[in-house]
Every structure is written in structure tokens, then in C-alpha cells.
Amino acid sequence: MSILVTRSSMPDFDEYIEEIKEIWDSHWLTNMGPKHKKLQADLKEYLGVENIDLFVNGHMSLELSLQALKMQGEVITTPFTFASTTHAIVRNRLEPVFCDINPDDYTIDVSKIESLITDRTCAIMPVHVYGNICNVEEIQRIADKYGLKVIYDAAHTFGEKYKGKGIGTFGDVSCFSFHATKVFNTIEGGAACFKNPEFGLELYRLKNFGIRGPEVVDAVGANAKMNEFSAAMGICNLRHIDEEIAKRKKVVERYRERLGNVNGIKLSPIQENVQSNYAYFPVVFDENVFGATRNEVCDRLAENDINARKYFYPLTNMFDCFNGKYNVDDTPVALHISQRVLTLPLYADLSLEDVDRICDIILNI
Ligand SMILES: *Cc1c(COP(=O)(O)O)cnc(C)c1O
């Protein structure tokens, strides 16, 4: 039986049908209807945030957050992320400035941020990678010192808490993704959590074409509204999220048990003061010690119909669309990790027998 790297969480068919019945009565399919309102309220409580707005996907929440903040100039970010983070910056005609990452948790190396700040820097856009959270305190200290905005790509950290506080409460904005492959999904979807309600109004308008009122359009917005069927999926999935995360935890614990003490295999640290969501299970192979490269491990798993992912490879600063504009040697740690990391299959319903089978294949190489 083939094992994919992830498998979307879904409610029971009947539960979803029940949830969408009202849509047939109301004929309200999109444009911030009752399902959108309910999911927004449910998420506000679950995530422990002050303000939240929903989006058609996580990417648009990032892209429109930068637009709503009216940013200009350079944004300090990392290349060890999904295309979305860097594209959100570039599509706003901002310049990404790539900072290197920590070798242990793969988040932005805060000791290297200040040397990248120029008089054109307007914001820092860090990524909570794999569910590992950034050094939020130090990032805020730097941002305050230089008057910069902080926009977190929190796509991997749905429901996480740091020192008991929802991860969405950090920075000026934190953006979540509710894509089908994420810990919590609305099929496609996303959300921005933010501090300033004025900014929220601006963001709300931008997700609806910049329409202020029936006869006033005063911003060049996009269309990034979440529809009612997606919101209904979210309402259902949110009812089961704690069980889903608990099941993921079991899978991760088994992986850690089996792969935790193997020479040449490095696992992510368990972060202090963090309530994790067990989003991903990245493994870094040191071929000199382990005896096989990441690519060899990936191929061997593929031969057994097991789909692991080279996530994140390539780095975003190596993408073909940038035509060599950025120098990957500026981010040597990110380059090193991207060449050696593999994220192993992980989802709530992955059986422990399958985890054992995956580990056996890796350990027998
Ligand atoms: C999934 C993801 C996004 C984009 O989210 P979508 O909902 O797919 O648009 C952004 N950043 C990271 C790190 C992601 O993993």
C-alpha cells in the first residue's frame, strides 16, 4: 500500500452534509455569510487571538497583509520556506533580503538580522518552520528598535501556543494556511491574525476588491474571500482538531523513539514553552555518518511506495523565476539543511505499523 507524505483530515460525510444543509435554504454561497462568520468566531476563540479575518488561502493573507501595511522597500525573510512567503514579498514589488536560519530549528537566525537592516528595510517576515516557532521575543525587540513591522508566516503553526499565548498573537500580523495538506484545513483557506483593528478594516477591504461601500472603491484590492463551503468544512474540522493533533503526537513520538538515537540522523528539537501541533516530521541526514544521502533515502522510500518530501528544497532564493538574482551563499545554513532534509509521512491516521515500516526501511539502508 502506498503512503503519501500527508493525507487531508476530513469530518464524517454526514457531519459535513448536515453543516451545509443551511446553505441550500439560504442560497448564500460566499461573501462573508453565516458559515464564514461562525468559523471566524470559532477560530478567534480556539487560536486565542484578538482579531482574525478569513481568506481564500494562506498565500493571499500574506500578500494582502503586506499591501495593507503599505510596505515599501526591503523585507528581511528566509529562503527556507514554501514559495508563498517570498512570492508574497516580490508580488508586492518589495525586495526580499534573505537572512540565514538556525541549524537546529530552521527558523530565522536572529543574530544575523541586524546586519541586514538598511534605511530601506520596512519589515521582517519570519517563518515558523515545521511548527518550530521563531524567537518571537528577540524579533520584536529588533523590530521595535528599528521601527519595523513583523509579519509572521504561521502557515505551519495552527493552534500552537508559546508560553500559553496563541502563536497568532505575535508580531503585527500572523498568517495561517488552511490548505488541504495542513494540520487544520478548510479545503483551501487561510487567516490573518492581527493587533490593529484599523489594519483589519484595510485588509478586509483588500480581500474584496478594495470596495469601501456600494459606490466607493478606494483601493486596488484582490478577491480573496473564503466561500461558505470552505468555511463549513472548517467548522466541522475544528470540532475534531484536538483529537487530530493528539493522533499526530502519537505518530511523532513513535518516529522519535525509532529514529531519535541514530548516528547521522538529526531530528528537530522539542522546543521549550511550546504547545506543538506536530505538523511535520523533518529528518536531516548527514551522509558521512549515516552512510546514505537524503536523496538515496528518498529514492529507497519511493521504491517502497512511500512518499517523503524534500521540503524545503530548493531554497526560494534559488528559484528559476529569480534568474540568479540572489546568492545562495548568503544563506549557507539554509543551503546545507535544504540539501539534507526530508519530511517523513505524517498525518493523524497514519498507523504506527506504517511508521515502523518507514523507519525499518530507513534504518536498513
Ligand atoms: C502552505 C504554506 C503557505 C501558503 O498557504 P496556502 O494556503 O497554500 O496559500 C505559506 N507558507 C508556508 C510556509 C506554507 O507551508
Side-chain angles (χ1 to χ4, degrees):
M1 254 262 293
S2 81
I3 301 176
L4 296 177
V5 71
T6 187
R7 186 166 181 266
S8 300
S9 295
M10 293 173 80
D12 282 344
F13 181 70
D14 292 338
E15 184 180 350
Y16 186 64
I17 295 303
E18 189 58 36
E19 193 63 47
I20 62 174
K21 255 188 193 139
E22 288 155 300
I23 301 178
W24 261 263
D25 299 331
S26 67
H27 283 237
W28 193 337
L29 304 182
T30 185
N31 283 49
M32 288 66 85
K35 299 295 172 194
H36 185 290
K37 288 203 178 72
K38 171 158 171 51
L39 180 61
Q40 190 161 317
D42 290 354
L43 283 172
K44 184 176 158 176
E45 185 178 336
Y46 186 82
L47 297 172
V49 294
E50 264 172 81
N51 304 291
I52 181 167
D53 201 357
L54 306 182
F55 286 83
V56 65
N57 56 49
H59 177 79
M60 288 309 288
S61 68
L62 284 171
E63 191 171 316
L64 295 179
S65 289
L66 284 170
Q67 187 182 349
L69 287 167
K70 302 186 170 63
M71 294 286 93
Q72 279 188 335
E74 297 171 354
V75 177
I76 296 175
T77 187
T78 58
F80 192 70
T81 182
F82 185 55
S84 176
T85 326
T86 306
H87 285 5
I89 295 169
V90 175
R91 286 170 58 81
N92 272 286
R93 300 187 193 187
L94 294 158
E95 282 172 50
V97 173
F98 293 103
C99 184
D100 211 350
I101 61 170
N102 297 318
D104 49 352
D105 66 16
Y106 322 122
T107 64
I108 193 165
D109 181 344
V110 292
S111 73
K112 294 185 179 141
I113 295 177
E114 283 193 84
S115 65
L116 297 172
I117 294 173
T118 71
D119 54 7
R120 301 192 59 237
T121 307
C122 58
I124 308 173
M125 197 154 166
V127 185
H128 300 303
V129 187
Y130 303 133
N132 295 337
I133 72 160
C134 302
N135 184 340
V136 289
E137 284 128 356
E138 181 62 9
I139 290 168
Q140 197 57 54
R141 188 194 67 78
I142 296 169
D144 290 343
K145 181 171 167 192
Y146 295 91
L148 307 175
K149 298 288 186 200
V150 179
I151 302 102
Y152 281 107
D153 182 334
H156 291 187
T157 39
F158 181 84
E160 293 202 337
K161 291 204 167 78
Y162 175 61
K163 294 187 176 166
K165 279 183 72 184
I167 197 65
T169 61
F170 295 93
D172 295 277
V173 197
S174 290
C175 295
F176 293 99
S177 165
F178 306 153
H179 183 255
T181 55
K182 302 293 190 332
V183 169
F184 167 77
N185 85 78
T186 61
I187 308 171
E188 291 262 8
C193 303
F194 50 89
K195 292 215 168 74
N196 181 353
E198 295 286 315
F199 162 85
L201 283 175
E202 183 73 15
L203 193 59
Y204 182 86
R205 285 196 286 268
L206 288 177
K207 82 168 181 181
N208 191 24
F209 303 101
I211 296 172
R212 182 180 286 269
E215 297 180 6
V216 184
V217 179
D218 62 356
V220 183
N223 178 3
K225 308 182 297 286
M226 179 184 283
N227 73 65
E228 291 290 281
F229 288 83
S230 279
M233 188 66 143
I235 291 167
C236 295
N237 279 336
L238 195 60
R239 289 191 193 113
H240 308 286
I241 189 70
D242 289 336
E243 292 157 52
E244 293 282 303
I245 291 174
K247 287 194 204 163
R248 284 175 170 273
K249 180 172 190 235
K250 289 222 158 66
V251 172
V252 165
E253 283 171 352
R254 184 66 143 243
Y255 270 133
R256 284 193 177 276
E257 221 176 280
R258 297 290 316 273
L259 302 176
N261 290 309
V262 180
N263 286 335
I265 292 185
K266 204 181 80 172
L267 308 182
S268 263
I270 294 171
Q271 290 184 308
E272 255 176 67
N273 299 315
V274 174
Q275 185 186 316
S276 177
N277 64 3
Y278 308 94
Y280 297 87
F281 197 75
V283 175
V284 173
F285 294 94
D286 177 349
E287 69 269 26
N288 296 323
V289 182
F290 184 67
T293 65
R294 178 272 307 270
N295 289 353
E296 285 163 356
V297 177
C298 190
D299 292 346
R300 184 64 61 86
L301 289 169
E303 285 163 19
N304 287 276
D305 238 350
I306 295 163
N307 181 259
R309 215 175 136 197
K310 297 173 195 176
Y311 193 62
F312 301 104
Y313 177 85
L315 297 177
T316 68
N317 57 3
M318 298 168 73
F319 282 176
D320 292 338
C321 57
F322 299 127
N323 294 313
K325 185 169 176 196
Y326 309 109
N327 188 354
V328 292
D329 296 330
D330 291 345
T331 53
V333 176
L335 183 62
H336 182 92
I337 299 296
S338 77
Q339 290 166 336
R340 289 167 179 79
V341 71
L342 199 60
T343 56
L344 300 181
L346 170 54
Y347 44 87
D349 291 327
L350 184 63
S351 71
L352 298 184
E353 291 74 44
D354 280 338
V355 175
D356 282 339
R357 191 153 72 84
I358 294 163
C359 294
D360 288 341
I361 292 167
I362 294 171
L363 296 172
N364 287 327
I365 287 177

